[in-house]
Amino acid sequence: MTLEIISFVVFALLAIASALLVITAKHPVVSAMSMIFHFFMLAGLYLTLSAQFIAVMQVMVYAGAIMVLVVFAIMLLNLGDEGKLRSGFNFRKLVAWFLGGALAVQIAVLLSNGALSNTAISEKASELGTAQVIGGELFTNYIYPIEIVGILLFAAIVGAIYMAKKNLPTEE
Amino acid sequence: MINEFILALPLLLIAIGSILVLMLDAATRNKQIVYYTSILVLLGLGISAGYTLQFDVAIIAQADKTISANTIFYGGMSAVFDIIFAMGGLLTLFASREYLQRNYKEINECYSLVLLAVVGMVVIAHSNSLIMLFLGVELMSIVFYILTGFFRNREHALEAALKYFILGSFASGFLLYGIALIYGSTGSLILSDISQQIASGNYNSIYLSIGLGLMTVGLCFKVAAFPFHQWAPDVYYGSPTAISGFLCTSGKAAALVALVVVAKNVLSVETSNVNYLLESTTARNILAGISACTMIIGNLSALAQKNVKRMLAYSSVAHAGYILMGIVACSTEGFYAVAFYCAVYLFMQVGAFAIVGFIEFRDEGNMLISDYADLRTTHPALAAAMACFMLSLAGIPPFGGFFGKYFLFVAAIKSGYLWLTLIAVVASIISMYFYIGLILTMYFKNNENPINVGKMQGTKLTVALSIIGVILLGIMPNVFYGLFNFTF
C-alpha cells in the first residue's frame, strides 16, 4: 500500500461519511458544517490526483464563499427545526431516487467491465495542475478571454451597485 | 505584415473606452463630458473597424496571431458588424439622452452601460473561439438585464428585468452546456479547428449533435425565436423606450452574429462521418421550422396589439424570423443578407422606437395606437418619418426593408427553401395590416385634441440618421454590399 492509496481511502471514506451526514443531520447548521468538511475532503482528493490548483480553488470558492452564503441563508431564514420542513413522498423524491439509481448502475457496470481498473495518473497531470501552468496559459493563450471576463465582472458590479443604490436622483 | 494590434484596434478601443467613460463619470460632475466621450468612443469603434475592413481576410489569416492565439477573428464580417453595432450605439445614445432627461434625471450609467453592451457585441462578432462567443453573449446579456430595469421605480420595468434575468441565465446555461459538449466531442474550442475536425469526421457525433442542439436553444433564446420568444415582448415593453430599440436591434443582431459564426463553421461543413445525427440538412430544416413559426407567430401576435410599443416588440420577434432565413440558407449569400438586414433593421426599428419614446413624453403616456390619430397636424415631420419606418418595416420598395427581405428571400430560394420563402411572403402580407394601419391612423383618423409634445432635440438626430440610412440602403443597396470584399 502506497501513501497515495492510503490517503485516497481516508479522504474518500471521510467524504462519503460527511456527505451522508449532510442529508441525515437533523439540524441545518450541522448539515452545513458537514458540507464544508465534505468540500475539504474533496479538495484532498483533488490533491491526490495532482490537481493542486483545483484543490485550492475548491477550498477558496466552495468552502469559503459559497458556504458563507449557505450559512447566511440558514441564519436569516431562521431554520431551527427541520422537522417542520419534512415532506412525505413526492414526485421530486422519485426523480431523485431514479437519477441516483441510474448513476449507481452506470458506475457498477463500468466497474464490472473493468473499464476503470486500468487507470493511472499520467505524468503530465502533475505538471498541468499547478497554478504556474494555469496562470501561464491564462495570460498567454487566453489573454483575450481573461480580459473580457474582467470587463464582464466590472459590468456586473456596476449593475449591482446601480440596482442596490439607495437614493436614485429621481426626485429633484 | 499586418500588426495584430491594428487589427484588434476596434476591440481594444471600445473595451478601454467603455471603462474610461465610467471612470470619467466618477471623476467629473460634468455630464456633458461623459456623453460626448461616449459618442467619441463609438465613432472611434466605427472608424477603426472601417479601417480594418480594407485588409483582405486571406492576408489577415496569415497575420501573426500570437497574441490572440486564434481566439479572435479579424476583419471581414466582424468589421462590418462592428460598424453596425457602433451605429446602433450612436443612435441609441442620441435618442436616450433626451428621453432620460424627460423621464428621469439624467443618469450617466446609462451611457457607459450601452458602451459595455457594445463591447459584448463586438466580442461576439470577433469570436473565433467558443469561449469568446460565450463571454460576449454573457457580457451583453448582463448589461441588458440592467438596462431593462433601468427605471427602478417602475414596477413593470423591474418585473421585466427579473423575468429577463432568470430566463436569460437559464438560456446561458443551455449555451454553456452545449459548448462543453462540443468541446468534449471535438477536443477544441477554436471554431476553425472544430470545422476541420468535423470535415475529417474525427469526433463523437452524439455529443456534437446534442451540444449543437443545446447551443441552438441558447442562441435562439437570445434572438427571441419561436418557442423561446415569450420574454421578448415583456422585456421590450418594460425597458426604457430608447433602450428597447437598442435591445431589439443591436442585441438581436449580436445574437444572430453568434448563430452565423457557429453556422459558418459547423453547419456548412461537409462531414465524412455517417453517424452524424444532426447533419447539416436536418439542422437547417429544424432552423427553417423555427424561422417559419417565428415570423407567423410574431406577426399574428402583433396584429392584436393596441399599444404601439408592444406592437413593435412583437413585430421585432417576426423580424428575427426573417433574418433566420439567411442562416437557414447557410451560404455566403445568406450571411451577406443577414448582415444587410441587420443594418436596415437597425435603422428602421431604432428610428421607430425613438419616435415612440419621444411621443410618450413623460411617464409612459400616449402609447396607444389611437393616441397617434391625426399626428400629421401637430407633428407633420414626425408623422412622415414614422410612416417611412413603417413602410420600410413592412418591406415596401423605395425603402431599405424591401431590399433586406429581397436578399434574404433570394438566398433562401437558392438554397432550396422555397416553402420558407412563401411563408415569409405570407407573414409580410399579414404584417402590412398593422404597419399600414398605424399610418392610416396618423393621417386619416380625426382626433379632437391630437397630441403635442413640444420640440425635439437629440431625438431629431436619431430620426434623421435613421431616415437617411433606411432610404440610402433602399436606393443604393450596393453601397453596403461594396463592404463585403470578403468570403465567409
Side-chain angles (χ1 to χ4, degrees):
Chain A
M1 275 246 254
T2 57
L3 187 67
E4 212 172 68
I5 293 177
I6 296 170
S7 53
F8 170 77
V9 170
V10 171
F11 282 132
L13 285 180
L14 284 174
I16 293 172
S18 56
L20 282 175
L21 198 60
V22 172
I23 51 171
T24 52
K26 284 268 184 292
H27 204 276
V29 176
V30 177
S31 283
M33 288 303 146
S34 40
M35 196 145 123
I36 297 178
F37 189 72
H38 177 71
F39 285 146
F40 270 101
M41 291 305 108
L42 275 190
L45 281 179
Y46 290 141
L47 274 181
T48 63
L49 294 169
S50 326
Q52 298 97 319
F53 185 71
I54 297 181
V56 173
M57 278 298 143
Q58 170 81 15
V59 172
M60 277 171 64
V61 175
Y62 282 95
I66 292 181
M67 279 318 295
V68 169
L69 199 72
V70 170
V71 173
F72 256 96
I74 291 172
M75 199 182 77
L76 291 175
L77 292 176
N78 205 9
L79 295 174
D81 185 17
E82 205 202 21
K84 278 184 288 185
L85 297 172
R86 186 152 294 166
S87 54
F89 178 83
N90 61 10
F91 184 66
R92 228 189 300 173
K93 257 184 194 165
L94 191 72
V95 174
W97 273 104
F98 175 73
L99 290 177
L103 187 66
V105 168
Q106 208 175 356
I107 293 172
V109 167
L110 279 175
L111 281 175
S112 62
N113 277 353
L116 297 177
S117 63
N118 194 16
T119 48
I121 301 166
S122 84
E123 290 295 313
K124 254 191 160 178
S126 54
E127 293 164 27
L128 290 176
T130 60
Q132 194 184 5
V133 173
I134 291 173
E137 279 288 311
L138 283 184
F139 285 96
T140 54
N141 287 341
Y142 292 94
I143 182 70
Y144 275 98
I146 200 88
E147 295 293 333
I148 299 298
V149 167
I151 297 177
L152 194 149
L153 291 177
F154 179 69
I157 290 171
V158 170
I161 292 175
Y162 175 76
M163 281 297 174
K165 197 157 63 176
K166 256 195 179 148
N167 302 313
L168 273 188
T170 40
E171 291 87 30
E172 290 166 58
Chain B
M1 185 98 156
I2 311 165
N3 193 325
E4 198 180 354
F5 270 114
I6 295 176
L7 295 173
L9 206 58
L11 198 56
L12 298 176
L13 259 179
I14 183 76
I16 296 169
S18 64
I19 292 174
L20 186 82
V21 165
L22 207 74
M23 297 286 174
L24 264 181
D25 183 26
T28 64
R29 289 196 153 266
N30 191 342
K31 286 180 179 165
Q32 301 256 329
I33 293 181
V34 179
Y35 176 67
Y36 289 112
T37 321
S38 315
I39 290 173
L40 265 183
V41 169
L42 283 173
L43 280 177
L45 168 66
I47 291 167
S48 58
Y51 179 70
T52 58
L53 205 59
Q54 62 172 306
F55 300 116
D56 191 5
V57 176
I59 298 169
I60 293 174
Q62 288 165 9
D64 180 23
K65 287 193 182 171
T66 43
I67 310 168
S68 64
N70 229 351
T71 52
I72 299 272
F73 181 86
Y74 296 116
M77 173 204 71
S78 47
V80 169
F81 273 99
D82 284 352
I83 297 172
I84 293 176
F85 295 143
M87 200 68 214
L90 278 176
L91 293 178
T92 310
L93 282 190
F94 294 146
S96 64
R97 188 173 192 213
E98 193 175 5
Y99 185 79
L100 281 177
Q101 281 169 345
R102 273 184 166 182
N103 281 281
Y104 226 48
K105 204 173 158 193
E106 192 180 3
I107 295 171
N108 281 335
E109 272 96 345
C110 182
Y111 306 138
S112 41
L113 284 173
V114 168
L115 286 188
L116 281 168
V118 174
V119 177
M121 296 166 190
V122 169
V123 168
I124 298 174
H126 278 274
S127 60
N128 188 33
S129 150
L130 289 174
I131 293 189
M132 290 299 274
L133 188 95
F134 176 74
L135 287 175
V137 170
E138 260 315 80
L139 176 54
M140 181 184 82
S141 309
I142 282 185
V143 176
F144 280 179
Y145 306 146
I146 306 162
L147 282 175
T148 305
F150 200 75
F151 286 175
R152 254 175 46 191
N153 44 7
R154 290 184 186 169
E155 240 168 60
H156 63 271
L158 282 181
E159 184 199 329
L162 195 66
K163 237 184 224 172
Y164 193 17
F165 176 62
I166 293 170
L167 292 175
S169 315
F170 202 58
S172 296
F174 272 90
L175 186 61
L176 196 56
Y177 196 20
I179 289 173
L181 284 177
I182 291 175
Y183 178 60
S185 151
T186 58
S188 177
L189 283 168
I190 310 287
L191 277 157
S192 38
D193 291 355
I194 291 176
S195 65
Q196 270 175 16
Q197 295 279 348
I198 293 176
S200 63
N202 189 13
Y203 59 92
N204 184 320
S205 61
I206 297 174
Y207 287 142
L208 183 72
S209 309
I210 298 174
L212 271 182
L214 289 174
M215 258 191 100
T216 313
V217 169
L219 289 177
C220 278
F221 175 88
K222 304 284 177 195
V223 177
F226 162 58
F228 321 105
H229 70 285
Q230 266 95 351
W231 60 274
D234 281 344
V235 168
Y236 299 153
Y237 178 70
S239 44
T241 311
I243 299 296
S244 351
F246 185 58
L247 296 188
C248 69
T249 55
S250 297
K252 206 159 267 193
L256 283 158
V257 175
L259 272 173
V260 167
V261 166
V262 175
K264 81 170 182 201
N265 283 301
V266 178
L267 284 190
S268 58
V269 182
E270 288 290 324
T271 177
S272 52
N273 191 335
V274 281
N275 297 322
Y276 200 3
L277 284 180
L278 204 68
E279 42 92 38
S280 186
T281 2
T282 324
R284 281 163 61 194
N285 283 335
I286 293 172
L287 269 180
I290 292 176
S291 157
C293 293
T294 309
M295 20 201 192
I296 295 288
I297 302 270
N299 278 329
L300 283 181
S301 328
L303 271 184
Q305 302 307 318
K306 296 211 159 45
N307 185 306
V308 179
K309 202 171 164 187
R310 260 189 187 277
M311 182 196 93
L312 285 174
Y314 272 107
S315 86
S316 89
V317 172
H319 283 274
Y322 299 136
I323 307 179
L324 276 177
M325 288 172 72
I327 292 160
V328 171
C330 206
S331 55
T332 309
E333 211 173 21
F335 297 145
Y336 285 168
V338 170
F340 186 82
Y341 203 88
C342 282
V344 177
Y345 184 57
L346 173 82
F347 286 119
M348 51 200 189
Q349 187 84 344
V350 169
F353 264 114
I355 293 177
V356 173
F358 178 72
I359 286 177
E360 96 180 45
F361 201 55
R362 267 196 203 106
D363 298 326
E364 314 194 315
N366 304 331
M367 290 241 271
L368 296 179
I369 292 179
S370 53
D371 290 329
Y372 282 65
D374 216 11
L375 192 69
R376 77 193 155 95
T377 48
T378 45
H379 294 281
L382 219 54
M386 195 65 169
C388 277
F389 295 137
M390 288 301 128
L391 289 174
S392 182
L393 282 166
I396 308 280
F399 301 104
F402 169 73
F403 275 105
K405 275 188 186 140
Y406 170 77
F407 290 135
L408 284 170
F409 290 179
V410 167
I413 291 173
K414 276 194 182 162
S415 321
Y417 283 92
L418 185 65
W419 62 272
L420 186 60
T421 314
L422 289 177
I423 290 179
V425 170
V426 171
S428 318
I429 292 170
I430 297 173
S431 73
M432 298 270 184
Y433 178 78
F434 51 85
Y435 290 134
I436 308 288
L438 185 64
I439 299 176
L440 292 180
T441 314
M442 286 191 302
Y443 278 90
F444 300 111
K445 274 239 174 88
N446 287 324
N447 197 344
E448 298 206 340
N449 36 350
I451 37 176
N452 191 349
V453 283
K455 275 205 167 157
M456 190 160 31
Q457 296 132 25
T459 317
K460 209 187 285 176
L461 201 53
T462 303
V463 174
L465 281 174
S466 304
I467 288 277
I468 292 172
V470 164
I471 291 178
L472 205 65
L473 287 174
I475 299 172
M476 298 185 284
N478 51 336
V479 172
F480 190 79
Y481 261 63
L483 295 176
F484 297 139
N485 63 344
F486 55 88
T487 45
F488 277 91

